[in-house]
Amino acid sequence: MLVSTQSPGTKRGPAPGHFWRWAALLAGGLLLAGLVAARLLDPWLVRKLGQQVSRQSHGAYRLRIGELRVGLWSRSLRIHRAQLVPAPEKPGGWPPGLPHVSLSAADIQLSGVGILALLRGSVVPIDSLVVSDVSLELPAGLPRQMVADKQPLYAYLPKQLAGLRLGLVAVRHLRARYAAGPDTLADVNSATLLARNVLLSAAGAADARRTAYAASLTAQVRGAALRLPGTVAELTQGRLRAGRLLLDSVRVVTGGRQPTSLWLPHLALSGWQTAVLQHQQRFLADSLTLYRPLVQGPVPASAAQPLYQRLAPYLRRADLASLRVQAGQVQAAGAGLNPTVRNITLEAQQLRVDAAAARDPHRLAYARAWRAATGLITATYDAPFYQLACQGLRLDTRRQQLSLRGLAIQPTVSAADLDRRKGEQSVHLTVKLPALRLLGLDFGRLLRQHELLVGTLVAERPWVEIASDGRAPLPRQPSVFTPLAVRRVPLLVSINKVQVDAGTISTPYRSPRSPVVGHIIISQMSGELHNLSNDPRRMTSSQPLTGTATAYLQGQCKLQLQLRIPLLDPLGRHEVTGTFGAAPFAILNPMIGPTRLFEFGSGDLKTMRFTLHADLQKADGTMWAEYSGLHLKFVKSQPTGIKTNLLTRLESGVANALVIRANNPRANGRLAPGRLRTNRDLRFAVFVLWRQALVSGLLNSAGVPQALAQKLSEGKN
């Protein structure tokens, strides 16, 4: 018999199995309640959000949500197919200050919301906010009230919240379109934005290390277009990450009838401090590189507004450590020169753009230094008659050097065609210059004071041909090849020294007397000019242009010249002195035969020296020539060339017997001088005056009376 040890008054507790059953029932009840609450919470939130949007927009907008799910345990919210659209009919008209916007998102995910911080009203931490497949349209632009609204973004948060801290904000596949009239349109085909460590609060807005409240930003755009009044811009792709901006295939077109276009295949900006731009209105970056840019358009008719003034509404200051242009090209049109510059390489150091930098004498176009090089440069002059070309240009502002190689001026028509089309005699100029170097070039004076100030200009092996045709009417305007022409140069020029090495000058001339073209060549010319200037402070009668040169006439006769020319003298006064070495007189026949219809049958020059004084009316001077065996031969022009006949031989005999002195010094040992005398015609170059004077002096020293010598030199019958 078993005896119970429990007293009759003791109560028995529930069995252990009963406890777990109750716990399971309680948990199930809570889960069921949670499920019911969740099922009720989702539609409640949909209604609440819709009501909030309607109330805040005064009934102007409707919010449509395809699906909303709240994850209580995961502290997340997910919305599918959200749409914000204007109401079909808004009683009382559209609220002022509210834009017409259509916004849709295929998916919105909010995860890791700090519930306790939300309840306390402090800064709410959120792990991430991801919005995908977004479409935004503003068909009527932004109202002025919104543009003028200066409130920061965090001010629109509920007042009970101190702010939001989001670990990641991602907007993926954004399609946006903005329009404010027919001439203002912005269109983004696809964009992605990633912002990390976003602090949307007053502290975040004040943090100078943040950009748009974020510690770091990454963005990518594929296909964008912008249209403003007079400007259209297109972008194929752009990327921003860690202060590095890359743009691919940028095209900008501005202007009207003659638009200016910029085509930029690639742009790379590194070290861009975006936070400085936001908080200080200052652009600050390490380097900007433009790859293969192409600029096409007319040459500006007037000087553009200074760059710092154009940027002033957007930037207080811009600083760029390095600017580079690689393989650029410029094609200008609509102006007289129509230049094209290929393969441009450009580098600028320590750029600063603001008013102070524009005035800084130690900066040039806002930079501390510039270096540049180009490939082929082409242009037109006096179109369509001349083509200009340069094989390449190099400049270095630190070294104050500018050099050009392969310079050429090439006429497109013959001398006769040029005169026929212009209706008068004109200069038919051809120039080939392998190298031109400017040393000691003051780039600052050139840009600021429009003054070309150069230490030394070096022209290496220039070849110049000045062709002319005497059959056309005389020119109506004065020649530009005169000392006084420097007054018409559009800027002040001051070159301390001009150095010419191994130059050649060719002067073919077609006389109306003969179909044979006369020709004189001056070769192996080397010399120096000093004080080439049109600045009245530097060019005076006591400080004129001076120069010396040595060369060979027709490759045989050595000549030496000295010049003294006050370029700004109102009377055009100047002087030329020189000497000629030994040579046969016959070397002059290729020119004087077809142009003056006489030749040197014989005679040898031993030496000759001359002094010539000239002004706007005439040239006068003296020549001392030592020669022997001089005889003239008159010729006659025929269709087949220069010939002699019985009459010309008779004329030659009479002239040599009665007029020409075969030797100088004369038989008595006296050296007979010749007078250089010729009238000046301002329609011809000053070189023509010098040539005519020398011919008249030579003939006069040979015995031809001065008046006749002068007429022969001037081409009169």
Side-chain angles (χ1 to χ4, degrees):
M1 181 177 179
L2 297 176
V3 179
S4 176
T5 59
Q6 182 178 3
S7 63
T10 303
K11 294 184 179 180
R12 180 176 299 186
H18 289 206
F19 172 77
W20 290 111
R21 283 194 296 271
W22 280 104
L25 288 173
L26 180 60
L30 291 175
L31 179 60
L32 180 61
L35 291 174
V36 173
R39 296 286 292 179
L40 295 176
L41 180 60
D42 291 353
W44 177 82
L45 275 178
V46 171
R47 291 193 302 272
K48 189 67 175 177
L49 290 173
Q51 293 171 1
Q52 184 74 9
V53 167
S54 180
R55 182 170 60 253
Q56 291 290 89
S57 66
H58 305 285
Y61 283 104
R62 299 287 185 266
L63 177 63
R64 300 169 183 169
I65 297 178
E67 183 181 6
L68 183 147
R69 291 183 180 179
V70 176
L72 294 177
W73 300 109
S74 60
R75 297 174 291 122
S76 64
L77 173 68
R78 186 164 188 174
I79 300 175
H80 293 287
R81 302 184 306 280
Q83 289 184 314
L84 180 68
V85 295
E89 294 182 3
K90 175 64 180 66
W94 193 263
L98 198 64
H100 286 76
V101 61
S102 295
L103 176 64
S104 65
D107 190 72
I108 303 174
Q109 298 183 54
L110 190 68
S111 62
V113 180
I115 302 298
L116 294 179
L118 180 63
L119 296 175
R120 289 196 301 264
S122 57
V123 176
V124 178
I126 300 174
D127 290 345
S128 65
L129 171 62
V130 180
V131 185
S132 302
D133 296 320
V134 183
S135 177
L136 173 64
E137 290 192 14
L138 283 157
L142 293 174
R144 294 182 179 180
Q145 295 91 328
M146 289 193 66
V147 176
D149 189 0
K150 302 300 182 181
Q151 288 194 87
L153 184 60
Y154 69 84
Y156 293 96
L157 292 173
K159 295 182 179 180
Q160 62 270 24
L161 291 182
L164 300 176
R165 182 184 294 276
L166 301 99
L168 172 68
V169 174
V171 179
R172 295 192 173 98
H173 308 301
L174 169 66
R175 171 74 171 88
R177 184 179 180 86
Y178 170 88
D183 295 330
T184 301
L185 173 68
D187 197 349
V188 178
N189 187 48
S190 178
T192 297
L193 173 67
L194 299 178
R196 301 186 184 277
N197 189 6
V198 179
L199 179 57
L200 187 60
S201 67
D207 190 345
R209 297 167 298 180
R210 295 178 177 269
T211 304
Y213 302 96
S216 66
L217 285 174
T218 301
Q220 182 170 348
V221 176
R222 292 182 181 274
L226 174 66
R227 184 170 66 214
L228 298 172
T231 302
V232 176
E234 296 177 351
L235 171 67
T236 298
Q237 180 172 270
R239 300 174 298 282
L240 172 65
R241 184 174 184 179
R244 183 172 177 81
L245 175 66
L246 302 175
L247 300 180
D248 293 330
S249 186
V250 179
R251 185 182 297 275
V252 180
V253 180
T254 63
R257 294 182 178 178
Q258 292 184 319
T260 298
S261 66
L262 167 65
W263 161 244
L264 183 58
H266 187 64
L267 175 150
L269 176 66
S270 64
W272 184 19
Q273 300 186 28
T274 55
V276 175
L277 178 64
Q278 175 182 330
H279 295 280
Q280 301 181 22
Q281 281 190 298
R282 178 186 173 193
F283 176 86
L284 182 61
D286 293 336
S287 69
L288 173 63
T289 304
L290 310 179
Y291 296 91
R292 294 182 288 114
L294 170 61
V295 179
Q296 296 174 304
V299 176
S302 59
Q305 183 183 17
L307 180 59
Y308 75 90
Q309 293 182 2
R310 298 170 66 181
L311 295 179
Y314 318 101
L315 295 174
R316 180 179 56 85
R317 173 177 167 180
D319 291 270
L320 183 63
S322 175
L323 169 65
R324 295 182 179 90
V325 175
Q326 296 184 3
Q329 185 172 343
V330 174
Q331 296 177 355
L337 293 177
N338 299 322
T340 296
V341 187
R342 299 171 178 85
N343 197 25
I344 301 171
T345 300
L346 186 68
E347 182 177 351
Q349 299 294 330
Q350 301 179 34
L351 276 159
R352 171 178 169 178
V353 182
D354 62 0
R359 296 189 299 266
D360 189 346
H362 302 292
R363 292 182 179 271
L364 186 68
Y366 305 102
R368 291 290 186 186
W370 290 87
R371 289 195 304 172
T374 74
L376 178 64
I377 303 173
T378 58
T380 60
Y381 175 74
D382 193 16
F385 301 116
Y386 286 99
Q387 292 181 341
L388 312 182
C390 174
Q391 296 301 316
L393 173 151
R394 291 183 180 273
L395 68 84
D396 188 328
T397 61
R398 285 193 186 276
R399 301 175 64 185
Q400 293 189 309
Q401 293 184 3
L402 170 66
S403 63
L404 301 97
R405 58 181 179 84
L407 279 170
I409 301 175
Q410 188 70 40
T412 60
V413 297
S414 66
D417 287 339
L418 182 64
D419 290 352
R420 178 178 55 81
R421 296 174 67 172
K422 285 183 171 289
E424 63 181 20
Q425 294 184 31
S426 55
V427 176
H428 189 265
L429 180 66
T430 304
V431 177
K432 296 179 181 179
L433 182 57
L436 180 69
R437 294 182 289 122
L438 283 72
L439 310 177
L441 172 58
D442 192 332
F443 288 94
R445 293 283 283 272
L446 181 61
L447 287 186
R448 293 188 180 91
Q449 283 83 32
H450 301 288
E451 179 179 357
L452 180 63
L453 185 61
V454 181
T456 302
L457 183 150
V458 181
E460 298 182 0
R461 305 186 308 281
W463 187 90
V464 179
E465 181 180 271
I466 305 174
S468 52
D469 192 314
R471 292 174 295 176
L474 293 176
R476 294 179 290 271
Q477 299 296 325
S479 171
V480 297
F481 294 98
T482 63
L484 283 177
V486 298
R487 292 178 179 269
R488 298 196 289 270
V489 176
L491 73 164
L492 288 178
V493 177
S494 296
I495 304 176
N496 292 338
K497 182 173 74 171
V498 177
Q499 179 178 326
V500 179
D501 298 330
T504 300
I505 299 178
S506 174
T507 59
Y509 174 66
R510 169 64 158 88
S511 169
R513 299 173 176 225
S514 169
V516 179
V517 176
H519 215 136
I520 278 187
I521 295 180
I522 299 175
S523 59
Q524 302 180 51
M525 183 177 64
S526 297
E528 293 181 355
L529 297 175
H530 297 272
N531 191 32
L532 175 59
S533 177
N534 61 355
D535 186 348
R537 298 168 297 180
R538 294 181 171 88
M539 179 53 58
T540 63
S541 58
S542 60
Q543 291 182 317
L545 167 72
T546 60
T548 59
T550 60
Y552 282 85
L553 178 64
Q554 303 291 66
Q556 298 185 55
C557 179
K558 184 177 181 179
L559 62 90
Q560 295 178 313
L561 297 177
Q562 297 82 41
L563 307 175
R564 183 180 176 86
I565 306 177
L567 292 176
L568 300 182
D569 186 287
L571 300 179
R573 292 171 294 191
H574 61 277
E575 64 181 58
V576 183
T577 61
T579 61
F580 288 79
F585 281 113
I587 65 174
L588 300 178
N589 289 343
M591 174 58 80
I592 65 172
T595 62
R596 297 296 180 261
L597 296 184
F598 72 87
E599 294 179 347
F600 292 100
S602 63
D604 293 296
L605 176 69
K606 298 178 181 178
T607 183
M608 181 174 69
R609 57 189 175 90
F610 70 91
T611 299
L612 181 151
H613 299 273
D615 54 29
L616 295 179
Q617 279 76 41
K618 64 184 184 309
D620 206 343
T622 305
M623 172 182 288
W624 296 269
E626 296 184 32
Y627 59 86
S628 61
L630 176 62
H631 287 84
L632 295 185
K633 180 177 66 174
F634 289 96
V635 295
K636 187 171 183 62
S637 174
Q638 296 180 2
T640 56
I642 302 297
K643 304 290 183 178
T644 61
N645 55 28
L646 180 61
L647 179 61
T648 59
R649 285 193 291 270
L650 179 61
E651 291 174 343
S652 301
V654 173
N656 288 317
L658 301 180
V659 178
I660 301 302
R661 300 292 181 262
N663 302 296
N664 202 15
R666 304 289 193 250
N668 59 7
R670 183 180 68 88
L671 181 65
R675 185 178 182 184
L676 307 177
R677 174 74 183 188
T678 187
N679 293 320
R680 185 173 185 182
D681 190 334
L682 295 178
R683 293 172 295 183
F684 296 106
V686 70
F687 313 113
V688 174
L689 175 72
W690 299 348
R691 184 189 66 200
Q692 291 178 173
L694 291 176
V695 172
S696 71
L698 180 61
L699 293 176
N700 185 231
S701 67
V704 177
Q706 189 275 323
L708 179 57
Q710 179 177 340
K711 288 183 179 181
L712 289 173
S713 70
E714 295 173 356
K716 298 178 181 179
N717 294 329

